[in-house]
Amino acid sequence: MREYKVSELTGNEVLAKPVCLENGSIILEIGTVLKVSYKESLAALNVRKIFIEDPFEKYEKANFFFEQKVFLEFENDLKEILSHHIYHENTSLKKLANLGRELVKVFEATKEKRALDVWNRTPDMYEHTIFITILVMILGKEYGFSRKRMEHAVLGCLLHDLGYRYIDADFQNCNFKTLSPSKEYELKKHTILGYSALEKEEWVPEIAKLMVLSHHERMDGSGYPLRQRNSQKECRMIQICDAFDCAVSGMECKKKTICDAFEIISDKEKYESRMEKILEKKIGIYPAGTYVKTEDGKKAVVISQTENAKAPVILYTNEAGRNNIITENLNSDQAPKITSIIS
């Protein structure tokens, strides 16, 4: 499915998700064939975006390093553990150590070499946590981390937003520049609350605790809560990975494009340059499902990544309806380059 602006409707699109009002009532069911005349009515009801069926979705093979089923199992396991956690009952959190070991085990067994897809991200804390765990493992592999060191770093990732369990604040698509001082303080203290809850837990490695405390710190001392300049690789890894994924998912900030997210983490004063370069090579610039235009003027949709983060496999959409679907691997010198994204 694909997110559409109501203003972009041309008619005959098929709903992939029901359209609901703010009170939860459904006004259009899944499978409804839309008419152009709906644009005005939906706009009047303050419905700005909808999800429609994508005819090319069946050809897409997104890469999350894990199979999608496995990714969702990890995400659900994480949610089950954290959602039942109470501040003074940390025994349940010990299950995260086993989850972390399993994540590392599956990651090490994965032979996937294609770039990572980050398409259709949402500001969901559990999805966000699994994604930054994958990003940190990618970096850890490049830095030659041992199994034990990787497991400690992964545990830090799984625990990094624990502090949100102890505050009542909306961290989705927020804008720090427009928040009141009290709300900004409430959001920012999740780092200290998470660290405080773990400080005396002997089963949590010290580096994992430090990752929880410092994941919003920056190399130039401009972060929070303590304006520290952490030198530990694990801390710098979670800082850059968290910043990137917050940007593309809308966690703790307004949702941004992948290119904008890379622009943020390319700041050499705040983030380690080598880490940014690694992520640039490992994350697809054009995720599966992205509609693009090539330099020869053809329109296409990205259906898979290659080892080159800037050169995916595309399917030419102007061939729709023909028996032979035409695809092209852009990871070759002869292939055309992508010149723009079609919104």
Side-chain angles (χ1 to χ4, degrees):
M1 72 186 149
R2 189 180 183 206
E3 186 178 67
Y4 250 57
K5 292 180 181 178
V6 169
S7 59
E8 295 175 343
L9 291 178
T10 58
N12 294 319
E13 294 92 348
V14 180
L15 272 182
K17 281 186 176 183
V19 176
C20 303
L21 298 180
E22 291 183 359
N23 62 9
S25 59
I26 298 175
I27 57 173
L28 290 175
E29 299 280 356
I30 293 175
T32 301
V33 179
L34 301 176
K35 301 177 182 179
V36 178
S37 58
Y38 289 178
K39 291 168 64 172
E40 186 175 345
S41 299
L42 290 171
L45 293 169
N46 202 33
V47 177
R48 300 287 180 251
K49 294 181 180 179
I50 56 175
F51 289 88
I52 67 168
E53 290 184 1
D54 190 329
F56 305 108
E57 188 173 7
K58 60 184 177 182
Y59 300 105
E60 296 170 14
K61 296 180 180 179
N63 172 36
F64 305 122
F65 271 86
F66 304 136
E67 293 181 7
Q68 190 166 13
K69 178 182 177 182
V70 175
F71 183 100
L72 291 174
E73 286 175 353
F74 282 135
E75 186 181 329
N76 289 333
D77 288 345
L78 176 69
K79 184 175 182 179
E80 178 68 19
I81 296 168
L82 290 182
S83 63
H84 291 93
H85 167 66
I86 302 172
Y87 188 82
H88 293 294
E89 295 291 338
N90 287 326
T91 54
S92 62
L93 288 180
K94 291 184 179 180
K95 296 178 183 178
L96 288 179
N98 290 329
L99 179 61
R101 284 191 285 270
E102 186 62 23
L103 274 160
V104 174
K105 180 181 177 181
V106 175
F107 181 82
E108 287 182 346
T110 301
K111 304 302 179 183
E112 184 62 72
K113 294 183 178 180
R114 291 180 299 157
L116 180 71
D117 279 292
V118 291
W119 182 242
N120 271 349
R121 294 302 316 288
T122 66
D124 177 87
M125 183 176 71
Y126 307 107
E127 179 185 279
H128 162 71
T129 298
I130 297 298
F131 259 103
I132 72 160
T133 301
I134 293 173
L135 295 178
V136 166
M137 286 193 290
I138 289 172
L139 291 176
K141 182 178 180 180
E142 290 294 313
Y143 279 90
F145 276 18
S146 65
R147 165 72 73 87
K148 184 177 181 179
R149 188 175 183 183
M150 187 79 89
E151 289 176 353
H152 289 179
V154 165
L155 185 57
C157 292
L158 296 179
L159 289 164
H160 85 287
D161 273 340
L162 177 66
Y164 277 127
R165 295 290 305 157
Y166 315 134
I167 62 176
D168 182 19
D170 186 6
F171 51 78
Q172 298 184 347
N173 280 307
C174 67
N175 185 347
F176 273 37
K177 294 181 179 179
T178 60
L179 289 179
S180 66
S182 60
K183 288 185 178 180
E184 182 179 348
Y185 172 76
E186 186 73 8
L187 278 171
K188 287 185 174 181
K189 73 180 184 182
H190 77 277
T191 53
I192 294 176
L193 291 175
Y195 176 79
S196 298
L198 299 169
E199 190 174 11
K200 296 181 180 180
E201 296 298 315
E202 295 181 358
W203 62 275
V204 182
E206 289 303 313
I207 189 62
K209 296 176 185 178
L210 192 56
M211 291 170 73
V212 173
L213 179 65
S214 66
H215 66 276
H216 282 293
E217 301 286 7
R218 300 294 179 251
M219 284 171 50
D220 61 357
S222 63
Y224 67 86
L226 304 176
R227 295 185 178 275
Q228 293 180 324
R229 293 174 169 85
N230 304 90
S231 60
Q232 297 87 347
K233 280 285 182 283
E234 290 87 343
C235 291
R236 291 189 177 185
M237 285 176 178
I238 197 170
Q239 288 165 13
I240 192 171
C241 294
D242 183 69
F244 178 87
D245 197 70
C246 280
V248 297
S249 66
M251 276 281 294
E252 304 166 345
C253 66
K254 293 296 183 182
K255 189 173 181 178
K256 299 175 177 61
T257 66
I258 293 174
C259 291
D260 287 341
F262 273 118
E263 182 69 24
I264 290 171
I265 66 170
S266 66
D267 188 332
K268 296 179 182 179
E269 298 295 320
K270 291 180 169 59
Y271 307 101
E272 193 163 308
S273 180
R274 183 187 172 193
M275 293 181 185
E276 190 272 334
K277 296 301 180 187
I278 293 171
L279 294 178
E280 203 174 66
K281 292 180 179 179
K282 298 295 184 178
I283 300 173
I285 298 295
Y286 310 104
T290 305
Y291 282 74
V292 297
K293 182 181 288 187
T294 60
E295 60 186 354
D296 51 9
K298 294 183 179 180
K299 295 180 179 180
V301 60
V302 175
I303 59 172
S304 179
Q305 298 300 320
T306 67
E307 294 181 35
N308 184 341
K310 298 180 180 179
V313 178
I314 61 174
L315 182 155
Y316 288 106
T317 56
N318 58 332
E319 301 298 327
R322 298 187 182 185
N323 292 327
N324 296 320
I325 298 296
I326 297 178
T327 64
E328 186 169 7
N329 187 328
L330 301 185
N331 190 23
S332 69
D333 294 335
Q334 294 74 34
K337 301 293 188 295
I338 293 174
T339 55
S340 62
I341 294 175
I342 303 174
S343 60

